[in-house]
Amino acid sequence: MDKPLLKIDNLKVHFPIKKGFFGTTGEVVHAVDGVSFELKKGEILGIVGESGCGKTTVGMAAMYLTPPTEGHVFWEGEDIGKMRPSRLRALRQKMQLIFQDPYSSLNPRMTVRQILSDPMDIHKVFTGKDRKERLEFLLTTVGLSPNAADRYPHEFSGGQRQRIGIARALALNPTLIIGDEPVSALDVSIQAQIINLLIRLKQTFDLSMIIISHDLAVVEYICDRIIVMYLGKIVESAGFSSLYSTPRHPYTQTLLSAIPVPDPEKKTKRIILKGDVPSPIDPPSGCRFHTRCPQKMVLCETQEPEMKQFGSGHSAACHLY
């Protein structure tokens, strides 16, 4: 059996809060608290959840932009945490990031040519005539004119800027692209264009992707498998068809009930959660969702549920089963 492209094993990322004049460490933010999953080659994996659930931190830790507090990240079976700096630097070419905000992620003082050339200069690839051909290829691939190379970011719309961000992510021929809310800052019509572009790029370049989003409608359209996170932990994982047809965890059911249905005659039952998301500084004991769960039991308050399997590739952590 082939090794997974990326494997996350019991990942924990905690951020200490420094207090006082001398910066002494006090409380700790439990951003990610024991996350494990695998990404196969050629697969698109979606990570969804409310703001603050830790999904972006997982993406940053997967690329070792945020070093884990505990746990391991494996790239094709090799522990990234044990790599030499030179090996990790070479690996950066294979792992690229699409940022959420197309306005702040591009340097306003650099032209598109400079933005796309910067990764090539750092890794010393595509020089001379090859550089010019590569730039034209990247811009054409993401649906922009090669003439756009000498323009500045402020001369483009939001959707066009995100296309530039995608072109930058493709500049070094990566194997894995992590998209951190890649369409959330765009209009709905532009969102569809960018999603279709990502699907086409995945098929053309045989890419693997992790799409981080709070919008279940977006990940349903693009992802092969979906992970649902709540307060630093995975509560459910399944293929997209299984997750949408038979959601197991009450939190997943709540998220799905919030998806708008484009049919005024179709009645849907919206599940409204009471209370606010608990603080990641002091997460609740037992099941972390029990403070808001409409199906809470006494057991949920004290004992953390284990991940249980429901058929092929579908698992959930809930005491109801």
Side-chain angles (χ1 to χ4, degrees):
M1 186 177 179
D2 293 338
K3 293 179 181 178
L5 180 69
L6 184 73
K7 180 180 179 181
I8 307 293
D9 182 27
N10 195 32
L11 182 71
K12 295 183 181 181
V13 183
H14 298 166
F15 297 107
I17 301 175
K18 296 185 181 298
K19 294 183 177 181
F21 181 78
F22 295 101
T24 57
T25 301
E27 299 169 317
V28 174
V29 176
H30 298 76
V32 179
D33 226 357
V35 166
S36 299
F37 64 86
E38 295 181 356
L39 177 71
K40 300 176 183 177
K41 293 181 180 179
E43 182 181 31
I44 301 182
L45 174 68
I47 303 179
V48 300
E50 292 174 283
S51 297
C53 72
K55 54 187 185 294
T56 294
T57 306
V58 169
M60 293 296 181
M63 300 183 69
Y64 251 73
L65 297 176
T66 300
T69 305
E70 292 182 30
H72 302 275
V73 180
F74 297 93
W75 176 267
E76 295 184 329
E78 186 178 0
D79 192 338
I80 296 179
K82 296 180 180 179
M83 289 181 179
R84 294 181 178 180
S86 58
R87 172 75 180 104
L88 181 58
R89 182 184 178 89
L91 181 61
R92 296 290 186 207
Q93 297 185 52
K94 299 182 179 180
M95 308 169 70
Q96 292 295 313
L97 182 65
I98 300 172
F99 294 92
Q100 177 177 357
D101 187 356
Y103 292 89
S104 62
S105 62
L106 302 177
N107 191 329
R109 298 186 178 183
M110 296 174 68
T111 64
V112 173
R113 185 184 306 277
Q114 293 171 319
I115 289 171
L116 299 185
S117 298
D118 211 28
M120 304 178 196
D121 290 333
I122 293 171
H123 291 276
K124 298 179 174 58
V125 295
F126 299 110
T127 58
K129 183 180 178 181
D130 292 340
R131 173 76 57 86
K132 181 180 178 181
E133 293 178 353
R134 182 66 178 172
L135 291 176
E136 292 180 356
F137 171 76
L138 289 171
L139 290 172
T140 304
T141 299
V142 299
L144 294 174
S145 169
N147 297 328
D150 295 313
R151 293 161 59 187
Y152 289 88
H154 73 270
E155 301 179 68
F156 297 91
S157 66
Q160 289 174 324
R161 291 189 191 197
Q162 195 63 300
R163 290 174 186 269
I164 296 169
I166 294 172
R168 177 175 59 185
L170 292 171
L172 300 175
N173 280 330
T175 306
L176 169 65
I177 287 182
I178 298 179
D180 183 14
E181 302 271 12
V183 298
S184 64
L186 306 175
D187 293 337
V188 175
S189 60
I190 306 301
Q191 286 184 10
Q193 294 177 20
I194 298 300
I195 290 170
N196 287 329
L197 172 62
L198 291 174
I199 293 174
R200 180 165 57 83
L201 293 176
K202 184 262 183 185
Q203 296 170 344
T204 303
F205 299 103
D206 193 26
L207 294 170
S208 301
M209 294 185 184
I210 296 178
I211 303 298
I212 298 166
S213 179
H214 64 274
D215 191 341
L216 277 161
V218 169
V219 294
E220 178 187 15
Y221 187 75
I222 191 173
C223 295
D224 303 309
R225 188 163 53 92
I226 299 169
I227 286 173
V228 181
M229 288 187 64
Y230 182 81
L231 207 62
K233 287 186 174 289
I234 295 176
V235 297
E236 189 161 2
S237 174
F240 79 92
S241 59
S242 179
L243 187 85
Y244 284 81
S245 60
T246 54
R248 299 287 182 173
H249 199 281
Y251 179 61
T252 308
Q253 296 169 5
T254 302
L255 292 179
L256 290 173
S257 75
I259 298 177
V261 178
D263 185 351
E265 297 182 358
K266 187 175 181 179
K267 303 297 181 181
T268 59
K269 184 179 179 181
R270 176 74 188 275
I271 302 173
I272 306 296
L273 295 179
K274 297 180 180 180
D276 298 322
V277 180
S279 171
I281 297 175
D282 185 24
S285 59
C287 175
R288 297 194 172 183
F289 186 58
H290 84 260
T291 58
R292 306 171 71 198
C293 182
Q295 304 180 58
K296 178 184 70 175
M297 300 181 292
V298 176
L299 179 65
C300 303
E301 299 179 9
T302 57
Q303 185 174 328
E304 184 177 341
E306 296 180 358
M307 195 68 72
K308 298 180 177 66
Q309 296 292 326
F310 302 93
S312 176
H314 194 153
S315 58
C318 184
H319 287 305
L320 290 173
Y321 308 100

